[in-house]
Amino acid sequence: MERILNEHTGTVHKSRRGTTSDEAVCGALRHVPHRQVTSVPNEETGVEEGVERCGRCFEEAGGY
């Protein structure tokens, strides 16, 4: 599954399947400008230092 990074908050989200825009499963990126959102490779080994996983998209992560 594709991941989406909110560069402003440093939070990575799961991408919603079947959409044409950068939409997160949790819906948190609905009002975020596209210039602050980037698709990132799907790597199960974790995320870069300083980047948090969205608690609503990933069960093992803390929530907002």
Side-chain angles (χ1 to χ4, degrees):
M1 181 175 285
E2 183 102 5
R3 297 184 312 167
I4 304 170
L5 174 64
N6 179 339
E7 295 177 349
H8 180 72
T9 63
T11 306
V12 70
H13 300 266
K14 285 185 181 179
S15 177
R16 181 174 294 189
R17 290 186 179 186
T19 62
T20 57
S21 63
D22 291 331
E23 291 185 41
V25 170
C26 65
L29 301 177
R30 227 175 319 187
H31 303 291
V32 177
H34 289 288
R35 67 181 180 275
Q36 293 179 352
V37 178
T38 305
S39 292
V40 292
N42 183 19
E43 297 178 8
E44 296 300 324
T45 58
V47 294
E48 296 177 20
E49 186 177 325
V51 175
E52 299 290 327
R53 289 180 182 248
C54 170
R56 291 182 279 174
C57 290
F58 298 96
E59 292 178 10
E60 73 278 359
Y64 283 140

